[in-house]
């Protein structure tokens, strides 16, 4: 009989969030009276706003008409949406390299696109990740065979770039492996830290110097409020020849369940032999993908109307206000933390304790689910990620309960 | 600078359908007056039916309400939909092995799931495909590294199983590679041939004997009208320990653009070492996928209501009636063909000519786009696939024009 793919055997335990869900279920089984509030998974909670939802409803309705019906579209997405994304999210940003519509590829979300990017680059490429980082960069690299088994502190072949309080959550980039992939997320999940223009400039230079390609995850860009912080890597000169940007409608407009994202692959990005990465990405998308849902794409179009953009701003403001509540509660408790000002996550430090231990304490003491920092990588140990996605009254109640930690 | 992934270099030319679209555009540029009818890509053309569309509209509308909003769901899909698929498509079929809800994984479509299955099994597994076959089995295997470069007649490492008029489009299974993957599609795309119960029993036995796993693509099962033909591989005893079934809402209810499918991975399917394939598939789906669109899933639920099932039957009847028109036209022209009775494709033979040559003739003479059989594999040479997806009046007009081929 066929043997198991050894890459799968290399992956340890379960994916982080199903593991958290399991522990929550186990706690509820023992304490059925507990009214748990989740500040764990970064799952949006507020309804889709009126103008954007009308786009979805209209998209669904038109499919029932002969004129409005569409079957397979272009795997790369609707031209109108590609153009609008280029214009709204890039070409109107200060100092951004002009992005053409055929450099924008619409997808069913950032996580799925990252999986396909790993297929694009294959198994022979060294991988660097921020530590801590969003699990798919590492787990997906293990699946494709670009990383080996867990060695007790990390996966073999992954170059971890620790982001700690000591370096202000921006890693030392001096020893990037040659000709590799560098995953970088800003605003960061899980730390909530946002890289400055100077830091991103240093990042692009280090990536160029090492002959690498940067996979820049900008899924939280719409949470940036400080005007001096770049929202796209393409605001940094040189990125157009060394970077790919992954982005998503999930967090700015609550499309986590609707599934819509995009990836920018500049036509100026080439491999060592001069072949076009954009053309290869197109081949990947047409071969093992069939496009995002047309209904979701109509919703995306509505989101980029002036009314939709206003709603996007209001929704992200709402979650940022939640973040401020959590952050000020933690500060009152004298728990060191970062993030929450230009990002919907707060990263809190509990020195001397393991993350899962703190997770259990908060669950048992406060009936609040969080995310253990160690789930994001070795340097996440002793940290807890608080997510600001929740109904306001739940956040306020959770903050009240968190004050029990003072005792 | 990072070098190109050699797996991509191994893939030849473009994906089939973008290539056809390109030739069509080029023809139109030269003949702007041509009113082209497409019998090429298997793209549905009829509006989504009322009850099912109401499910989509309602699904979109509820997302704007606090009670109805949902963000990330389970990556495996909504429990209600998993249960309903198990019940409607499997557990009510004669002789079908009972399928549990947690053996059903909801996805954004069969093509995408096949790509992820290739990630599941990795690069060290020998691959057998029907020849001709749907491109993603082969192209995806090349991308993951399970197949090597094109050697002039096929890809290195792919075991082609010719399906020809001589063997009645059912392959010789005597020499399957040991411990491999066997892709099999019935009703078949592109030939339209449907395997009988005896043939599928022989297939399962051959797969078992070779220690392989069968990836059974049943995306056209709802086009089966002959009651003696199995609609699922799990109607064949033994399949539960050697088969995975991939399926889709695209062709039965016109969801090609909406994106919804599913894959059945029985819990009784294990690797050589006894590890569960179902558990590994769950890991793949939670790691590089984030679930199908929730709106699409609400549409899927509506499709499995009694009204939805009736609409599904009417829609597939419509396309089957188209298929009968095309088939009888070809028969009148004395062009040998198969399919079109329990499948929406007709596979026509033009001995002594290349497929692209016939494609060009039909495009130039009839202004009809078809699909060249050689695009589906070496044994597809000299064949043309006619798709029955089209408005009735276009099919009738295309058939009239096809009669010009007699001259």
């Amino acid at each position: 009989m066929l043997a198991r793919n050894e890459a799968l055997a290399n992956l340890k335990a379960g994916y982080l969030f199903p593991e958290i869900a399991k522990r929550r279920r186990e706690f509820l089984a023992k304490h059925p009276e507990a009214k748990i509030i989740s500040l764990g998974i970064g799952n949006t909670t507020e309804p889709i706003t009126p103008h954007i939802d009308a786009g979805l409803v209209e998209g669904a309705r038109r499919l029932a008409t002969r004129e409005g019906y569409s079957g397979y579209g272009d795997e790369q997405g609707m031209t109108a949406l590609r153009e609008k994304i280029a214009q709204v999210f890039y070409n109107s940003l200060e100092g951004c390299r002009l992005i053409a519509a055929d450099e924008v590829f619409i997808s069913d979300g950032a996580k799925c696109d990252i999986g396909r990017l790993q297929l694009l680059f294959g198994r022979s490429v060294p991988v660097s990740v921020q530590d801590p980082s969003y699990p798919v960069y590492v787990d997906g690299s293990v699946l494709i065979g670009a990383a080996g088994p867990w060695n007790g502190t990390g996966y073999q072949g992954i170059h971890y770039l620790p982001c700690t309080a000591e370096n202000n959550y921006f890693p030392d980039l001096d020893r990037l492996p040659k000709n590799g992939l560098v995953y970088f997320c800003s605003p960061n999940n899980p730390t909530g830290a946002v890289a400055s223009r100077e830091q991103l400039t240093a990042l692009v230079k280090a990536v160029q110097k090492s002959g690498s390609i940067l996979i820049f995850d900008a899924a939280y860009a719409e949470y940036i409020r400080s005007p001096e912080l770049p929202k796209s890597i393409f605001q940094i000169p040189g990125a157009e020849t060394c970077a790919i940007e992954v982005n998503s409608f999930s967090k700015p407009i609550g499309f986590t369940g609707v599934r819509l994202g995009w990836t920018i692959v500049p036509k100026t990005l080439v491999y060592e032999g001069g072949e076009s990465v954009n053309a290869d990405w197109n081949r990947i998308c047409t071969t093992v993908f069939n496009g995002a849902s047309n209904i979701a794409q109509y919703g995306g179009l509505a989101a980029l109307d002036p009314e939709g953009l206003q709603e996007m701003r209001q929704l992200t403001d709402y979650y940022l206000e939640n973040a401020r509540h959590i952050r000020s509660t933690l500060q009152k408790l004298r728990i060191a933390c970062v993030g929450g000002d230009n990002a919907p996550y707060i990263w809190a430090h509990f020195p001397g304790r393991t993350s899962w231990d703190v997770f259990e304490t908060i669950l048992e003491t406060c009936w609040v689910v969080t995310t253990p920092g160690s789930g994001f990588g070795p340097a996440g140990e002793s940290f807890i990620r608080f997510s600001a996605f929740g109904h306001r009254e739940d956040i306020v109640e959770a903050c009240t309960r968190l004050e029990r930690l003072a005792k």
Side-chain angles (χ1 to χ4, degrees), chain A:
Chain A
M1 188 60 179
L2 193 151
R4 191 183 189 198
N5 175 1
E6 69 176 28
L8 271 152
N10 284 343
L11 268 186
K12 70 187 183 99
Y15 184 73
L16 178 61
F17 296 107
E19 175 65 25
I20 293 170
K22 184 173 146 264
R23 296 208 185 199
R24 176 196 176 129
R25 276 195 307 273
E26 286 166 1
F27 180 79
L28 267 180
K30 272 190 282 179
H31 305 276
E33 77 288 2
K35 288 194 179 59
I36 290 180
I37 297 174
S38 176
L39 308 182
I41 185 168
N43 198 358
T44 48
T45 56
E46 301 312 297
I48 293 181
T49 49
H51 181 79
I52 297 174
D53 197 70
L56 291 170
V57 169
E58 187 47 36
R61 204 179 264 137
R62 63 189 293 158
L63 294 178
T65 67
R66 184 163 160 142
E67 308 68 39
Y69 180 77
S70 58
Y72 294 125
D74 292 334
E75 293 91 342
Q76 305 87 346
M78 295 178 186
T79 303
L81 183 57
R82 301 174 83 184
E83 286 170 350
K84 228 166 164 179
I85 285 175
Q87 184 236 312
V88 171
F89 288 125
Y90 298 94
N91 299 342
S92 59
L93 279 185
E94 194 199 319
C96 191
R97 182 258 201 192
L98 281 184
I99 298 293
D102 59 359
E103 297 177 312
V104 181
F105 294 79
I106 311 299
S107 78
D108 61 332
K111 184 174 161 192
C112 317
D113 257 359
I114 287 164
R116 285 184 287 265
L117 283 168
Q118 287 158 339
L119 184 63
L120 171 67
F121 291 107
R123 60 195 293 275
S124 305
V125 55
V127 170
S128 301
V129 297
Q130 285 164 291
D131 176 19
S133 72
Y134 180 51
V136 69
Y137 313 143
V138 170
D139 288 3
S141 297
V142 174
L143 280 181
I144 203 75
W150 183 257
N151 63 20
T153 55
Y155 283 99
Q156 249 174 46
I158 296 276
H159 185 73
Y160 292 90
L161 303 166
C163 297
T164 61
E166 289 69 42
N167 61 23
N168 208 14
Y169 302 97
F170 187 80
D172 176 0
L173 298 165
D174 272 357
R175 288 164 305 156
L176 289 181
K178 287 275 161 212
N179 308 324
L181 284 184
V182 180
Y183 290 93
F184 198 96
C185 178
S186 179
N188 190 260
N189 177 9
T191 69
V194 187
S196 67
R197 185 176 298 269
E198 295 65 36
Q199 288 174 327
L200 292 180
T201 302
L203 174 64
V204 165
K205 283 198 177 134
V207 167
Q208 286 174 325
K209 196 178 149 202
S210 68
S212 298
I213 288 179
L214 173 64
I215 312 280
F216 189 77
D217 186 342
Y220 298 92
E222 290 309 307
Y223 285 85
I224 291 178
R225 290 293 176 271
S226 307
E228 72 280 9
L229 293 171
K231 294 172 86 172
S232 166
I233 196 65
F234 297 114
Q235 290 174 272
I236 308 300
E240 67 280 4
T241 56
C242 74
I244 288 170
E245 181 166 301
V246 176
N247 213 317
S248 170
F249 283 100
S250 287
K251 307 307 164 82
I253 58 171
F255 268 27
T256 41
V258 173
R259 312 303 310 138
L260 192 67
W262 70 91
T263 286
I264 307 289
V265 185
K267 281 180 285 185
T268 39
L269 179 65
V270 294
Y271 303 104
E272 184 171 53
E275 310 92 342
S276 161
V277 179
N278 179 289
D280 274 358
W281 180 240
N282 194 62
R283 184 68 153 112
I284 295 279
C285 293
T286 55
T287 303
V288 293
F289 182 55
N290 235 330
S293 177
N294 44 17
I295 300 172
Q297 293 188 69
Y298 283 117
L301 276 169
L304 301 180
D305 289 339
E307 302 92 315
L309 289 170
Q310 205 179 344
E311 291 178 353
M312 188 186 297
R313 178 73 183 207
Q314 284 160 0
L315 185 69
T316 47
D317 274 346
Y318 178 92
Y319 291 127
L320 282 169
E321 177 64 21
N322 285 351
R324 268 185 288 278
H325 278 278
I326 298 169
R327 194 176 157 135
S328 72
T329 301
L330 294 173
Q331 285 169 336
K332 214 166 12 172
L333 291 165
R334 305 207 176 162
I335 296 167
C337 62
V338 63
D341 40 4
N342 292 287
Y345 297 119
I346 296 103
W347 187 240
H349 199 190
F350 297 82
R353 297 184 62 187
T354 71
S355 299
W356 278 112
D357 178 38
V358 180
F359 170 90
E360 295 285 353
T361 299
I362 299 177
L363 180 57
E364 281 164 26
T365 315
C366 314
W367 297 353
V368 168
V369 169
T370 58
T371 307
S374 57
F376 297 103
E381 190 59 279
S382 301
F383 284 86
I384 286 287
R385 186 191 76 174
F386 290 90
S387 159
F389 294 108
H391 298 314
R392 178 67 42 78
E393 64 273 25
D394 291 338
I395 299 286
V396 169
E397 165 67 15
C399 286
T400 306
R401 294 191 200 162
L402 286 174
E403 294 185 5
R404 295 180 202 156
L405 293 175
K407 289 155 201 165

